[in-house]
Amino acid sequence: MDIIRLLPDSVANQIAAGEVIQRPASCLKELVENSLDAGATRIQIIIRDAGRTLLQVIDNGRGMSETDARMAFERHATSKITQAKDLFDLHTMGFRGEALASICAVAHVEMTTKPADAQVGTYIEIAGSEVVKQEVCSCPDGTNFKIKDLFYNIPVRRKFLKSNQTELRNLLTEFYRIVLVHPEVQFTFVVDDEILFDLKPQSEKQRIESIFGGKKNVYVEKFVSCNVETELIKIHGFLLVPENATKIAQQYFFVNGRYMRHPYFHKAIMEAYSKMLTPDQTPSYFIYFEVPANAIDVNIHPTKTEIKFENEQEIFQILLATAREALGKFTMVSVMDYENPPVYPTPKNSTPPARPNVIVDTKYNPFQKKEVKEYISLLDENLPQKTMNTPPSEPTELMGKLWDFDDLDINSTFSHLGYIYFPTEKGMLIIDQYRAHVCVLYHQFLLNLTDMPAKSQSLLFPEVIELTPDETILMYNMLPELRDVGFMIEQTNKNEFTIQGIPYVLDASQIENTIKNMLSSWEQKPFSVRDSQQIIALSLAQKVAVERNRILSREEKEEILQMLFNLEENQRTPDGKKVMILLDEQSLANRFN
Ligand code: ADP
Ligand code: MG
């Protein structure tokens, strides 16, 4: 008996939709990319209930003819490529012809569309892949998509959606990724009748400011530009000046007009910043690459943002050199590295252009299997505060309380380069001064916080902090906890919060920074009440602890060490970093071998 049958289109489309349209944000991405491919210069986005009930995208692009309007919803129907080799020279965001078919399989779709040269437009209504209505209509030039009741026919998916706040954040993330690389396009973003963004055509720099700057308008001033043009690639962008780095980072790579994730190139940027940042500083960057369309492969997976480059190693070196050079203006370290700044050839040279003056690490092959671990550890590095629970302490030697503070002779200690050296019978104990202080303060703060009601100090001058829309959403979640620990805080405007009082342990000059740090820690993990106190205690401790380069007085040293050795857990900071190491006889002997 034959048992294989072709699935009906509606079923096949639903299955494909699971791949392409995972949540409202993926739907938004597909629609806006279509608008950009259609040459739109103005795109309006209207969202209701975080995209569950309505997701509308209106553009002034080239529109569709009556036949195309119907064809557009068929699977593998696309105007963007006609043959396999086009895949290797893509100039559009879309090319699979899957998005609209997938969307109409899982939602009610209404569309009006009209090319500029047509007298009338076309209206089409589709539900679950079935055309419900198609008629001639009068409408403006361009295309207007209304996606209603997303996943109405797939309850499991509907249930699978996160809270409105989370979905809205996902929508904003997608929106940022698109608008930052299309500053020439006008965008509005309306959520539940409130205009979150109204972006005029502007420069890249202004666009970044419009998204992340808020009212103060000083955001991009904290960045330094970088720019390089070589045979292989053009790179330009903005790197945060190290001294302005906080824990919150905006990190964006774009290539040929699309957002991408690229852990390997991220590593180049991190390397350029190395030694310029303290452990709780993360750099922000916006880097735009331009390469010939055939030098990248975007054909990986519809929802993936990774992109493969030819010549990745060379580009890594070019990126590293450019970033270092740009940042070098701000720090002694790299100025010294850069006595001989690299000279880049430009394609305009009539003589055969020389390779950029960079050293290529020929051993590095991003596609080698064994590098996967490296990629993963890289990802981990990007997630500060991953664990709030103290991981297992160091083996053997450093287990438990080996030293009683009273047994130690403070006079025999000395500090150098941010470490405290402590000769003991078992060897030289080396203590990281900043981390030791973080440990000590963390426990103090935690005690204070759990000691209800939290004590707060009123501020003489209330502090107003401004957040980005996505931070505001996080803030809603964090508000009750903040109040529990002594913040007197109210929302006073759309993305604005006013703080009248703070926990007494906090210094009034550090409010904004501390709150923003907490928001970013918060984002990493959902918390129970107890955890949120830990987050806040740790953020405060990291804020207040002595810097590495401070030379401690005898009293300070004594106080920190005494408290440190009285803690049960003193080998690691609450976020799992080593506080001390022991150089014993054996390890010293090894070093001298
Ligand atoms: P793809 O973008 O991969 O071609 P889609 O399913 O997203 O596939 O879209 C199918 C086709 O519908 C596109 O190739 C394009 O011709 C047309 N189309 C979709 N959205 C628009 C729009 N906003 N304006 C004009 N044409 C559009
Ligand atoms: Mg598309």
Side-chain angles (χ1 to χ4, degrees), residues 426-471:
K426 295 193 164 68
M428 179 66 86
L429 192 60
I430 306 175
I431 300 170
D432 183 312
Q433 130 183 351
Y434 168 79
R435 291 181 186 171
H437 203 195
V438 167
C439 263
V440 166
L441 291 171
Y442 170 78
H443 285 94
Q444 286 180 346
F445 289 155
L446 207 55
L447 275 183
N448 288 330
L449 294 176
T450 38
D451 169 25
M452 295 289 186
K455 303 168 189 116
S456 49
Q457 48 175 331
S458 296
L459 293 173
L460 212 48
F461 303 102
E463 170 124 355
V464 177
I465 57 169
E466 217 197 321
L467 304 176
T468 59
D470 54 321
E471 285 171 343

Side-chain angles (χ1 to χ4, degrees), residues 391-586:
S393 332
E394 284 283 82
T396 51
E397 250 91 289
L398 285 178
M399 213 67 120
K401 268 166 75 172
L402 274 188
W403 293 273
D404 248 345
F405 182 75
D406 297 336
D407 298 343
L408 297 169
D409 178 10
I410 190 79
N411 288 319
S412 66
T413 68
F414 65 97
S415 317
H416 188 56
L417 299 173
Y419 297 96
I420 303 170
Y421 295 77
F422 224 134
T424 72
E425 277 168 20
K426 295 193 164 68
M428 179 66 86
L429 192 60
I430 306 175
I431 300 170
D432 183 312
Q433 130 183 351
Y434 168 79
R435 291 181 186 171
H437 203 195
V438 167
C439 263
V440 166
L441 291 171
Y442 170 78
H443 285 94
Q444 286 180 346
F445 289 155
L446 207 55
L447 275 183
N448 288 330
L449 294 176
T450 38
D451 169 25
M452 295 289 186
K455 303 168 189 116
S456 49
Q457 48 175 331
S458 296
L459 293 173
L460 212 48
F461 303 102
E463 170 124 355
V464 177
I465 57 169
E466 217 197 321
L467 304 176
T468 59
D470 54 321
E471 285 171 343
T472 302
I473 296 166
L474 280 182
M475 184 58 126
Y476 291 143
N477 293 316
M478 208 173 77
L479 268 184
E481 316 285 6
L482 281 180
R483 292 190 180 124
D484 278 353
V485 300
F487 281 93
M488 289 146 68
I489 179 168
E490 293 298 336
Q491 185 170 22
T492 40
N493 230 320
K494 204 164 73 186
N495 294 317
E496 188 187 279
F497 292 80
T498 301
I499 297 160
Q500 307 271 2
I502 55 176
Y504 78 101
V505 289
L506 192 62
D507 182 325
S509 67
Q510 302 162 322
I511 300 173
E512 174 156 2
N513 208 318
T514 310
I515 292 211
K516 291 215 160 189
N517 276 350
M518 287 178 191
L519 283 170
S520 85
S521 306
W522 197 271
E523 195 180 358
Q524 314 295 331
K525 201 176 171 234
F527 309 100
S528 69
V529 176
R530 170 84 188 155
D531 272 344
S532 70
Q533 286 171 338
Q534 291 176 341
I535 284 286
I536 287 167
L538 182 61
S539 298
L540 291 178
Q542 287 169 337
K543 209 69 249 148
V544 184
V546 291
E547 310 86 28
R548 269 220 179 67
N549 57 13
R550 214 203 45 250
I551 298 168
L552 297 178
S553 70
R554 197 196 128 96
E555 288 70 33
E556 286 172 326
K557 200 159 63 180
E558 189 164 358
E559 191 181 318
I560 291 179
L561 291 178
Q562 181 158 30
M563 290 193 290
L564 183 71
F565 285 109
N566 280 331
L567 293 176
E568 286 295 327
E569 288 289 351
N570 54 18
Q571 315 288 326
R572 298 263 183 172
T573 59
D575 50 340
K577 307 225 172 74
K578 274 186 200 164
V579 174
M580 54 182 89
I581 54 168
L582 182 73
L583 273 186
D584 59 10
E585 215 182 325
Q586 189 56 50

Side-chain angles (χ1 to χ4, degrees), residues 12-23 26 30 75 96 98 102 106 151 157 300-304:
N13 285 347
Q14 267 195 20
I15 294 169
E19 288 281 291
V20 186
I21 305 299
Q22 294 171 332
R23 47 182 11 96
S26 24
E30 295 296 337
R75 205 133 61 91
R96 295 186 174 82
E98 281 179 318
S102 297
V106 295
F151 302 132
R157 284 222 155 242
I300 302 183
H301 186 274
T303 56
K304 296 284 183 294

Side-chain angles (χ1 to χ4, degrees), residues 302-367:
T303 56
K304 296 284 183 294
T305 45
E306 280 84 0
I307 287 182
K308 254 194 324 202
F309 284 66
E310 262 179 44
N311 311 308
E312 269 185 0
Q313 302 172 26
E314 286 88 344
I315 295 172
F316 180 99
Q317 299 297 343
I318 296 169
L319 180 62
L320 174 60
T322 316
R324 268 206 189 136
E325 192 193 4
L327 293 170
K329 293 165 197 148
F330 290 88
T331 56
M332 281 308 291
V333 188
S334 33
V335 169
M336 291 189 302
D337 280 349
Y338 267 74
E339 272 159 8
N340 304 310
V343 184
Y344 303 110
T346 66
K348 282 156 217 136
N349 284 354
S350 48
T351 47
R355 275 299 170 95
N357 177 19
V358 289
I359 313 134
V360 176
D361 174 2
T362 47
K363 270 176 270 157
Y364 194 92
N365 175 355
F367 299 112

Side-chain angles (χ1 to χ4, degrees), residues 30-39 57 59 61-64 68 71-74 76-81 92-103 111 113 142-145:
E30 295 296 337
L31 292 176
V32 176
E33 286 185 352
N34 280 345
S35 298
L36 290 167
D37 283 343
V57 175
D59 70 46
R62 69 179 69 92
M64 286 172 263
D68 281 355
M71 269 294 279
F73 294 95
E74 296 294 333
H76 307 307
T78 179
S79 56
K80 299 171 193 175
I81 59 172
T92 52
M93 304 295 285
F95 56 89
R96 295 186 174 82
E98 281 179 318
L100 292 184
S102 297
I103 293 171
M111 179 189 75
T113 187
T143 304
N144 182 338
F145 270 104

